[in-house]
Amino acid sequence: MIGVILANTGSPASPEPDDIEAYLREFLMDDRIRQLPKPIWKYLLHRRILPKRKYTSAERYRFIWTGDGSPLLENQRHLALKVQALLDPEARDVRVASAMSYGSPSMAEVLRDMREAGAERIVLLPLYPQSAFSPTMAVVDSFWRAQEAIGWRPPSTVIDNYHDDPGYIAAIVRSIRGAGFDAAAGDRLVLSFHAIPLKDEAAGDTYRSQIAESVKLIESELGVPAGSATVSFQSVFGPDSSKWTAPLSRDVLQGWRDEGFRVVFACPGFSVDCLETLYDIPHEMVPALEGEGAAPVVDCVDGDIQAACNTRGRFVWVPALNASDEHASLLKAVIESHIA
């Protein structure tokens, strides 16, 4: 049997400060994530960052939390079930599971389950279409550490990116069209990706070149001129944004505040909506374009955040592919190409 692991960064167990702190402690101490030498960073993290951030982050997580829990965990769990049904409905030859680098379900938990189910080979698919030192390699590191921790090292295949996969490109384009994008009417398309530290790029990270290839293919499939989509970045960590890839999405949007065209805002690098889309888009991106006071007050429990973001007319949010049938189908094709 082949075990397939769909992997992502992770989520706290709840939006309560203690659970937030436990999650952030694990996440921010990862060698792929921390920005300073370990002793200095550890001191700052425990003495300065976590005591405040666990409360501010708790408010953000409460906004996106649903009756079923974390949107990231639930969407990815449903996505894994759909991919499982497409690959092997009887789960006899292939077992698909969702795992996280930090928090639960952990990579070690999932690998133990795979071993008990009789898996003889593992395929790891980090759900980042464009690979980066962080977070893609953080997932891979977590995978190898988990193997060592449980004492099981089966033959493994890592699919580290699928940025130019035709199914992925087609799915992104269909979601953009489905949101009503109309270039002929003057709509501007923003493709916003997670920022990475410039030091990673200087060390050889090819993330931005993969983004450029994805954007080129999206523009071609969409039938718009090359270079017409605006590529920008979001989710910078820390006070100094000059050390991260640019331009920042909020700066681009703010520069268009006095214009009259609509902005269709998509995040092709986020396979599943999470804190960095469900919170940051309504609270940072919408006000950047529409003006202060434009952030929707509705949360994930009380209503549709995406619909609330799109009520003012100029900002149109294209959600991630999430647990859609189309997303499951494209991942099935990506996985099958490596299983074969």
Side-chain angles (χ1 to χ4, degrees):
M1 188 183 77
I2 297 174
V4 176
I5 300 176
L6 306 184
N8 217 313
T9 301
S11 173
S14 83
E16 296 307 311
D18 286 348
D19 285 333
I20 300 289
E21 182 176 16
Y23 169 73
L24 290 178
R25 186 185 301 114
E26 183 181 8
F27 173 40
L28 295 177
M29 279 303 297
D30 192 308
D31 290 344
R32 299 278 183 180
I33 306 300
R34 62 181 174 82
Q35 301 296 305
L36 294 170
K38 193 169 184 177
I40 298 173
W41 181 245
K42 186 175 181 179
Y43 174 83
L44 291 174
L45 182 65
H46 289 82
R47 296 296 184 91
R48 301 285 183 86
I49 298 173
L50 288 178
K52 294 180 180 179
R53 194 176 180 93
K54 67 179 181 179
Y55 293 106
T56 57
S57 292
E59 290 302 314
R60 293 161 63 94
Y61 274 105
R62 287 190 186 108
F63 181 84
I64 72 163
W65 220 253
T66 73
D68 294 323
S70 163
L72 173 62
L73 297 184
E74 281 302 298
N75 267 313
Q76 190 163 306
R77 184 176 69 84
H78 287 295
L79 178 62
L81 291 173
K82 287 188 173 184
V83 175
Q84 172 74 71
L86 292 174
L87 282 171
D88 184 5
E90 303 299 325
R92 293 173 178 169
D93 298 316
V94 180
R95 177 73 62 89
V96 182
S98 170
M100 300 292 162
S101 291
Y102 321 106
S104 184
S106 71
M107 203 70 72
E109 292 170 21
V110 171
L111 280 173
R112 286 192 188 96
D113 290 344
M114 294 287 187
R115 180 174 59 185
E116 291 175 6
E120 298 174 340
R121 176 184 169 194
I122 300 294
V123 175
L124 175 69
L125 175 54
L127 290 180
Y128 314 111
Q130 297 79 23
S131 67
F133 287 175
S134 61
T136 310
M137 293 311 299
V139 165
V140 178
D141 289 347
S142 174
F143 178 63
W144 299 131
R145 285 196 304 268
Q147 288 192 7
E148 182 176 353
I150 69 171
W152 184 52
R153 297 178 180 82
S156 303
T157 299
V158 176
I159 306 172
D160 70 351
N161 77 87
Y162 49 100
H163 73 279
D164 57 354
D165 178 78
Y168 161 69
I169 299 299
I172 294 298
V173 168
R174 275 192 285 271
S175 66
I176 292 169
R177 285 180 176 148
F181 174 71
D182 186 353
D187 289 351
R188 295 286 183 92
L189 176 63
V190 173
L191 300 177
S192 181
F193 295 84
H194 199 297
I196 64 167
L198 293 176
K199 69 178 182 62
D200 288 355
E201 199 166 62
D205 197 324
T206 61
Y207 177 67
R208 196 152 23 175
S209 65
Q210 292 177 49
I211 287 175
E213 182 65 18
S214 295
V215 171
K216 178 182 175 182
L217 293 170
I218 289 169
E219 289 173 332
S220 176
E221 182 82 7
L222 197 55
V224 298
S228 61
T230 298
V231 178
S232 57
F233 299 89
Q234 64 184 88
S235 307
V236 167
F237 179 78
D240 190 355
S241 61
S242 67
K243 295 181 179 180
W244 295 72
T245 45
L248 297 184
S249 300
R250 64 173 179 263
D251 293 342
V252 170
L253 294 171
Q254 191 165 3
W256 291 343
R257 185 176 292 181
D258 296 330
E259 304 293 338
F261 49 76
R262 286 200 319 168
V263 175
V264 177
F265 191 91
C267 302
F270 290 86
S271 59
V272 180
D273 280 315
C274 58
L275 185 72
E276 292 163 312
T277 58
L278 293 170
Y279 186 91
D280 291 355
I281 289 176
H283 288 88
E284 293 185 15
M285 307 308 169
V286 173
L289 181 70
E290 305 279 18
E292 299 305 321
V297 295
V298 65
D299 59 23
C300 278
V301 173
D302 296 328
D304 186 336
I305 296 177
Q306 181 200 358
C309 286
N310 297 356
T311 56
R312 290 176 173 259
R314 286 197 61 204
F315 190 97
V316 180
W317 174 15
V318 182
L321 297 175
N322 291 314
S324 64
D325 292 343
E326 189 169 28
H327 197 186
S329 294
L330 81 86
L331 293 180
K332 169 185 177 287
V334 170
I335 294 163
E336 282 184 330
S337 68
H338 288 78
I339 289 177

